Amino acid sequence: MYYIACEDCDFIWTKEQVQTFRHLWRQGLHLVDIAKELKRHQNEVVILAMDQADLGYIKLRYGGIYGQEWKKGRRSNGKKRPRYRLRRYFEPKQAQG
């Protein structure tokens, strides 16, 4: 028996949605706020962010997935930031050799 992760998620994006995501990312919005703007689940947006970082369309930014909220120390809803980190997905790849 196999388990299918994120079975309920929709990982299909229109060109306009991807462009909007890139714009919001460059504006420094928190990942949760980007998900709300795109009307998508946060998991779907995280996967899109990893994909776009791997392809080089978005770059590491101050605050990572938290964006400008990193400076404030709290997310836009007033809750403290979670302690997990997805830094490895948003840093430039190092040359192997």
Side-chain angles (χ1 to χ4, degrees), residues 32-33 36 69 74-80:
V32 172
D33 297 326
K36 287 178 184 176
E69 294 298 317
R74 293 187 178 272
R75 298 191 314 206
S76 58
N77 64 1
K79 294 181 181 177
K80 288 187 178 182

Side-chain angles (χ1 to χ4, degrees), residues 5 10-11 13 15 20 23-24 26 31-32 37 42-43 50 55 59 63 66-68 70 80 82 84-85 88-89 94:
D10 175 14
F11 298 117
W13 298 85
K15 185 176 180 180
T20 301
H23 174 73
L24 297 173
R26 290 184 192 115
L31 193 80
V32 172
E37 185 74 26
Q42 296 171 26
N43 292 346
M50 291 187 303
L55 296 173
K59 298 189 182 332
Y66 306 111
Q68 298 298 324
W70 185 260
K80 288 187 178 182
Y84 57 85
R85 302 198 191 270
R88 68 174 183 236
Y89 295 112
Q94 296 179 1

